[in-house]
């Protein structure tokens, strides 16, 4: 049996101006943590709602079997140990003894089976897809859970985090209408914090779980998640002391240097390793001349992505090498050249079928940084001889246009969930290209060979075999340039330096407040 199987990923490491908080010293007990949450989540029942704000708050209410460190290696959470059979088809988890839900009822293997085999199969589209690989779940005793897979599924050990596999209380939800269960308004999990109050438009209040199964944790008494819709107002709230923690993306990029340089302010870009946010331009391959490989190659070489990183993202992040983020398992940066080379871009465009058509560029309506980026891309493409028109839109309009394929180029960024079988293949698989979603294979990239390779790589038991397979996949896709890859985005978390250890897993502030403490000296 393989115990505590480890996957090692090349996590992105950036050097940030401004101090990094020292996490040494003995944790102190007590204090209140004030955090920005934006936008306000639509709900906190994480088994039903999986958007970013919900995961951020509910990640400290609900838990899963495992946590994952910055290298995406699994650590025990509700499971204290686990084993994987040599053939990669049997996963056995031993649960912690003495864990209770927030209402005092015990957490057992029956809750795991109900969560994974009933609740999430019905209500969680991503987990439902992963569970298609599971033949059955056995619960030989209250503290043992055995997942029997139909065939090896390499990423399986990486799905047991609260956003994907939250543990749901069977005694509350079994036999109910999940979506309309009254408990959705007062979520109950096993996590370090309990739901207390939600004043819509103002704040969400969580309080310490006094019966948490880890002695001495959590350290802080409570957390207020403050709803502040305007980015400038969020920056002011930090400057005036109302807020202690600004999660990644809370303020405009151009405000980061000013806030970063304040007294008692620390910054880190860690905590995004699991999500691996990768930005790119969708290319509508159904439209001419976007279906011409040389046109796509020309556009790729025309993009000055180092400028975008330095001028628009404060030097944060990495220039993308292809479809995998460097924090995602099996990333290989040695892909075919897609670097900035305007002369090469001009030559390729001259050889292509491009004949002066206007290219419609759909920006991402997520603030001024993205607006400036659209202008920079327009300038890059204009410099090699292309005509470009930026199409303005709001969020609803962007969703609609991308879903309807009503664009030539469109900005986006997506999460990768630590493994190419979980968050990358969905973007390139030919059978996941139906119009109607802004999150699938929007480019309508069709390649039977890479489809087959993706399917086979996901089912390989050996990490070494998977690495070799994904290396070939990356090279093939980069050679086809179905999208124009931009940056591995760097979203800094900014916090008071006396707030210790706020980012301690690959999920950042989404599940890190179990271990945070406040230096009150």
């Amino acid at each position: 049996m393989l115990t505590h199987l480890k996957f090692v990923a090349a996590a992105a490491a950036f050097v940030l101006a401004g101090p990094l908080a020292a996490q040494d010293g003995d944790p102190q007990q007590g204090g209140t943590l004030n955090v920005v949450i934006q936008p306000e989540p639509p709900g906190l029942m994480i088994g039903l709602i999986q958007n970013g704000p919900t995961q951020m708050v509910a990640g400290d209410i609900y838990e899963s079997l495992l946590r994952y460190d910055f290298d995406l290696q699994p650590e025990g959470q509700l499971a204290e140990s686990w084993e994987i059979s040599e053939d990669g088809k049997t996963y056995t988890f031993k649960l912690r003894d003495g864990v209770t839900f927030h209402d005092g009822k015990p957490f057992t293997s029956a809750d795991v089976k109900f969560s994974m085999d009933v609740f999430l199969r019905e209500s969680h589209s991503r987990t439902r897809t992963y569970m298609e690989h599971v033949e059955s779940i056995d619960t030989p005793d209250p503290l043992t859970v055995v997942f029997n897979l139909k065939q090896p599924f390499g990423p399986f050990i990486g799905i047991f985090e609260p956003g994907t596999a939250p543990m749901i209380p069977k005694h509350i939800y079994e036999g109910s209408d999940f979506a309309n269960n009254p408990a959705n308004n007062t979520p109950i999990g096993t996590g370090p914090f309990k739901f207390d109050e939600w004043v819509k438009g103002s704040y969400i209040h969580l309080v310490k779980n006094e019966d948490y199964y880890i002695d001495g944790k959590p350290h802080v008494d409570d957390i207020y998640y403050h709803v502040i819709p305007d980015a400038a107002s969020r920056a002011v709230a930090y400057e005036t002391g109302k807020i202690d923690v600004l999660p990644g993306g809370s303020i405009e990029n151009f405000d980061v240097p000013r806030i970063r340089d304040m007294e008692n302010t620390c910054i880190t870009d860690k905590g995004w390793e699991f999500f691996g946010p990768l930005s790119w331009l969708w290319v509508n391959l159904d439209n001419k001349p976007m279906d011409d490989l040389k046109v796509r190659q020309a556009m790729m070489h025309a993009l000055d992505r180092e400028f975008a990183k330095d001028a628009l993202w404060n030097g944060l992040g990495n220039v993308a090498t292809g479809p995998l983020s460097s924090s995602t398992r099996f990333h290989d940066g040695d892909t075919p050249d897609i670097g900035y080379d305007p002369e090469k871009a001009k030559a390729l465009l001259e050889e292509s079928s491009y004949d002066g058509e206007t290219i419609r560029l759909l920006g991402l309506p997520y603030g001024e940084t993205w607006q400036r980026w659209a202008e920079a891309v327009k300038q890059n493409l204009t410099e090699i001889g292309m005509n470009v028109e930026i199409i303005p839109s709001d969020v609803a309009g962007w969703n609609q246009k991308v879903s309807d394929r009503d664009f030539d180029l469109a900005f986006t960024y997506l999460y990768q969930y630590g493994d190419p079988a979980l968050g990358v293949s969905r973007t390139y698989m030919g059978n996941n290209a139906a119009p109607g979603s802004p999150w699938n294979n929007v480019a309508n990239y069709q390649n039977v060979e890479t489809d087959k390779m993706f399917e086979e790589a996901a089912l390989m038991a050996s990490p070494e075999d998977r690495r070799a397979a994904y290396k070939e996949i990356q090279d093939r896709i980069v050679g086809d340039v179905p999208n124009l890859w931009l940056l591995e985005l760097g979203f800094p978390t900014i916090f008071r330096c006396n707030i210790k250890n706020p980012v301690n897993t690959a999920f950042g502030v989404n599940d890190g407040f179990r271990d945070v403490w406040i230096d009150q000296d």
Side-chain angles (χ1 to χ4, degrees):
M1 304 289 279
L2 303 175
T3 304
H4 292 202
L5 184 64
K6 294 182 178 180
F7 294 98
V8 179
F14 310 115
V15 178
L16 302 179
L20 299 176
Q23 306 305 340
D24 55 350
D26 295 328
Q28 299 178 20
Q29 302 296 317
T32 296
L33 196 63
N34 290 285
V35 187
V36 157
I37 185 70
Q38 176 59 28
E40 187 168 18
L44 295 179
M45 206 300 160
I46 200 170
L48 300 172
I49 304 169
Q50 289 87 45
N51 72 1
T54 296
Q55 291 192 53
M56 186 181 299
V57 178
D60 279 314
I61 298 174
Y62 294 93
E63 295 178 311
S64 191
L65 301 186
L66 303 174
R67 301 176 101 203
Y68 300 86
D69 68 14
F70 297 130
D71 292 325
L72 303 184
Q73 297 181 21
E75 300 176 342
Q77 179 89 322
L78 291 173
E80 64 180 12
S81 65
W82 58 98
E83 294 182 339
I84 306 171
S85 63
E86 292 287 352
D87 64 4
K89 294 173 63 176
T90 304
Y91 290 68
T92 303
F93 292 89
K94 292 294 183 180
L95 306 181
R96 293 180 184 268
D97 194 7
V99 177
T100 61
F101 286 101
H102 294 155
D103 61 358
K105 301 294 185 181
F107 166 75
T108 72
S109 58
D111 296 295
V112 180
K113 182 177 174 64
F114 171 77
S115 299
M116 301 299 295
D117 219 15
V118 180
F119 191 102
L120 298 173
R121 278 190 189 267
E122 176 179 323
S123 64
H124 196 308
S125 59
R126 196 169 73 246
T127 305
R128 183 187 310 125
T129 300
Y130 305 155
M131 290 299 292
E132 289 177 359
H133 299 277
V134 177
E135 181 72 42
S136 63
I137 301 176
D138 298 328
T139 55
D141 62 63
L143 298 180
T144 304
V145 183
V146 182
F147 290 83
N148 302 297
L149 275 59
K150 301 172 185 176
Q151 64 278 313
F153 181 54
F156 193 68
I157 195 64
I159 73 169
F160 293 99
E161 52 85 22
T164 303
M167 293 297 107
I168 310 299
K170 178 182 178 181
H171 64 279
I172 292 177
Y173 282 91
E174 186 177 32
S176 74
D177 176 357
F178 300 158
N180 295 299
N181 191 306
N184 295 340
N185 298 318
T186 55
I188 293 175
T190 62
F193 293 93
K194 300 188 295 186
F195 175 81
D196 178 61
E197 181 184 26
W198 187 347
V199 178
K200 298 285 184 170
S202 183
Y203 63 81
I204 300 169
H205 185 217
L206 306 185
V207 296
K208 178 177 183 175
N209 179 5
E210 298 285 357
D211 299 316
Y212 194 55
Y213 54 86
I214 300 179
D215 290 341
K217 293 185 180 182
H219 303 296
V220 300
D221 293 329
D222 58 349
I223 307 172
Y224 280 92
Y225 291 91
H226 297 266
V227 179
I228 307 175
D230 179 65
S233 298
R234 294 194 287 272
V236 170
Y238 183 86
E239 291 175 296
T240 58
K242 178 179 180 179
I243 295 298
D244 302 312
V245 180
L246 292 169
S250 296
I251 60 176
E252 292 283 6
N253 275 359
F254 51 78
D255 281 334
V256 169
R258 185 183 82 253
I259 301 298
R260 176 193 64 205
D261 292 340
M262 287 180 57
E263 183 179 356
N264 189 33
T265 294
C266 288
I267 183 170
T268 180
D269 62 351
K270 299 196 73 64
W272 290 90
E273 292 79 5
F274 178 79
F275 298 110
L278 188 69
S279 62
W280 65 80
L281 290 167
W282 289 118
V283 179
N284 191 341
L285 299 176
D286 293 337
N287 290 357
K288 293 185 178 300
M290 318 308 285
D291 59 343
D292 185 336
L293 174 60
K294 287 190 175 181
V295 171
R296 301 196 300 273
Q297 290 174 328
M299 293 189 296
M300 189 71 253
H301 287 297
L303 300 180
D304 190 348
R305 298 173 296 158
E306 287 285 356
F307 169 82
K309 184 184 78 168
D310 293 339
L312 302 177
W313 291 89
N314 298 302
L316 297 172
N318 284 335
V319 171
T321 61
L324 268 68
S325 168
S326 60
S327 67
T328 301
R329 295 184 183 104
F330 314 120
H331 166 265
D332 191 311
D334 186 23
T335 51
D337 175 38
I338 53 173
Y340 178 54
D341 189 339
E343 294 307 313
K344 185 174 182 179
K346 291 176 184 177
L348 284 163
L349 195 65
E350 184 67 27
E351 298 170 4
S352 76
S353 61
Y354 179 71
D355 192 28
E357 299 95 331
T358 296
I359 305 301
R360 296 172 301 149
L361 173 62
L362 182 63
L364 191 62
Y366 283 6
E368 188 169 341
T369 296
W370 292 92
Q371 295 174 23
R372 294 180 181 183
W373 205 353
E375 292 289 347
V377 166
K378 177 181 178 179
Q379 180 176 335
N380 286 161
L381 297 180
T382 300
E383 288 172 350
I384 68 166
M386 302 188 81
N387 296 315
V388 179
E389 175 188 7
I390 296 176
I391 307 298
S393 72
D394 56 14
V395 173
W398 180 91
N399 281 326
Q400 192 65 52
K401 285 182 177 295
V402 174
S403 297
D404 293 343
R405 313 286 165 84
D406 183 16
F407 64 89
D408 295 313
L409 297 174
F411 276 89
T412 195
Y413 75 90
L414 293 180
Y415 291 163
Q416 303 211 330
Y417 302 110
D419 192 289
L422 304 182
V424 179
S425 60
R426 60 179 174 150
T427 307
Y428 299 96
M429 294 286 286
N431 61 2
N432 196 37
S437 170
W439 319 117
N440 62 1
N441 180 359
V442 171
N444 195 19
Y445 174 59
Q446 299 292 331
N447 187 317
V448 175
E449 291 183 352
T450 56
D451 283 357
K452 182 180 179 182
M453 293 169 68
F454 268 125
E455 291 170 353
E456 292 175 347
L459 303 181
M460 293 175 179
S462 164
E464 291 76 17
D465 291 343
R466 296 189 73 210
R467 182 175 300 280
Y470 285 119
K471 165 60 176 168
E472 186 174 354
I473 290 171
Q474 290 170 78
D475 287 347
R476 285 175 180 253
I477 291 178
V478 171
D480 288 342
V481 202
N483 297 315
L484 307 182
W485 300 284
L486 298 172
L487 298 177
E488 300 173 11
L489 297 178
F491 291 126
T493 299
I494 300 173
F495 52 99
R496 313 276 176 206
C497 291
N498 65 309
I499 306 296
K500 304 296 185 180
N501 205 28
V503 175
N504 47 75
T505 74
F507 299 82
V509 296
N510 283 19
D511 72 348
F513 292 155
R514 181 193 81 176
D515 299 316
V516 73
W517 58 279
I518 303 173
D519 186 346
Q520 302 171 69
D521 294 338

